[in-house]
């Protein structure tokens, strides 16, 4: 945290099961798709940890390979939802309601960047592999992020909470620091950075004590703006 900052940030990164990650790049990556997804996540974690505004990185995942490797880089790994809730969801989980759901319908599509103009990437990219519909994808991702935020707020009270995609190998610590400083100074209960197309959301950030209610998925820029979140 920089000396001028009023508080530090906990950044939440959602990571899907590697076997289902980066489906848009399957043609190019082939059977190395899982390696590619893990490499992207690893580079992103390293960059976020190097950001002077960030106190810690919380990776929300239940992947048995990605979790330990990202933890070794310095991230704190939290399962994508509490075990008791996962067990109670029954049929819903079998239809891919969990970010890391194991059922055939749990292909959540890619959280891919929208191109070079999207400096921090696009958390709302939804490719043709999505079979749950927009609502299912939104529920899975936002539920996982809210769970991670609950854990973070309990363990580190007084921290700001930010959600960021985990496939941003080109993001720089300085760029992220600029975005987080702007979010921390913004009026209103939360701030967000839209994607390059001004349709989705790249970054969602809530200062300490605020309600962490991300609305990622599809046309989330309008949803965040409609709920009084400040665009930075």
């Amino acid at each position: 945290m920089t000396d001028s900052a009023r508080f530090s940030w906990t950044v939440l990164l959602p990571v899907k099961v590697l076997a289902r990650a980066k489906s848009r790049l399957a043609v190019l990556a082939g059977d190395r798709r899982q390696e590619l997804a893990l490499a992207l996540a690893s580079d992103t974690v390293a960059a976020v940890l190097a950001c002077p505004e960030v106190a810690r990185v919380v990776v929300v995942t239940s992947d048995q390979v990605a979790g330990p490797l990202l933890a070794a880089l310095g991230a704190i790994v939290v399962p994508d939802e509490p075990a008791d809730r996962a067990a109670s969801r029954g049929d819903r989980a079998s239809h891919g309601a969990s970010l890391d759901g194991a059922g055939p319908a749990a292909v959540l599509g890619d959280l891919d960047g929208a191109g070079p103009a999207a400096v921090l990437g696009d958390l709302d990219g939804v490719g043709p592999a999505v079979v749950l519909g927009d609502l299912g994808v939104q529920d899975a991702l936002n539920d996982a992020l809210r769970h991670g935020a609950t854990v973070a707020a309990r363990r580190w009270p007084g921290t700001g909470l930010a959600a960021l995609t985990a496939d941003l190998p080109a993001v720089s610590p300085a760029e992220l620091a600029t975005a987080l400083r702007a979010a921390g100074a913004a009026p209103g209960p939360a701030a967000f950075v839209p994607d390059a197309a001004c349709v989705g959301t790249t970054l969602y950030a809530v200062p300490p004590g605020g309600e962490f209610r991300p609305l990622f998925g599809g046309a989330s820029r309008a949803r965040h703006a409609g709920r009084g979140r400040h665009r930075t």
Side-chain angles (χ1 to χ4, degrees):
M1 182 175 66
T2 59
D3 292 338
S4 61
R6 293 177 296 143
F7 53 85
S8 61
W9 291 90
T10 295
V11 177
L12 304 159
L13 303 179
V15 175
K16 292 190 299 180
V17 166
L18 294 178
R20 298 182 177 89
K22 312 311 301 171
S23 59
R24 290 183 181 179
L25 298 181
V27 175
L28 295 176
D31 58 5
R32 304 193 68 180
R33 193 174 73 188
Q34 296 182 45
E35 296 176 48
L36 173 62
L38 184 55
L40 294 176
S42 297
D43 286 351
T44 304
V45 167
V48 177
L49 284 170
C51 176
E53 306 296 323
V54 176
R56 64 196 60 85
V57 173
V58 174
V59 171
V60 185
T61 187
S62 292
D63 188 273
Q64 298 302 305
V65 174
L69 289 175
L70 297 177
L73 295 176
I76 298 160
V77 177
V78 173
D80 77 331
E81 62 178 348
D84 56 347
R85 189 174 75 190
S88 69
R89 290 169 81 162
D91 291 342
R92 184 183 176 195
S94 70
H95 286 83
S98 169
L99 181 67
D100 290 337
V107 182
L108 301 182
D110 290 322
L111 307 181
D112 289 332
V119 175
L120 298 180
D122 177 11
L123 190 57
D124 291 334
V126 179
V130 174
V131 296
L132 302 182
D134 286 348
L135 182 59
V137 175
Q138 293 167 22
D139 286 347
L141 178 57
N142 292 318
D143 283 353
L145 288 171
R146 283 193 294 268
H147 169 57
T150 298
V151 173
R154 182 171 62 246
R155 292 184 62 181
W156 306 286
T159 184
L161 298 171
L164 185 69
T165 186
D167 58 354
L168 304 173
V171 68
S172 76
E175 289 169 339
L176 180 58
T178 297
L180 290 174
R181 283 195 293 268
F192 70 96
V193 176
D195 64 10
C198 287
V199 175
T201 301
T202 292
L203 174 73
Y204 174 82
V206 178
E211 184 181 19
F212 187 84
R213 300 293 294 179
L215 300 169
F216 286 110
S220 63
R221 180 201 63 79
R223 290 195 300 276
H224 283 133
R227 296 290 181 89
R229 277 52 177 167
H230 182 80
R231 173 177 172 173
T232 61

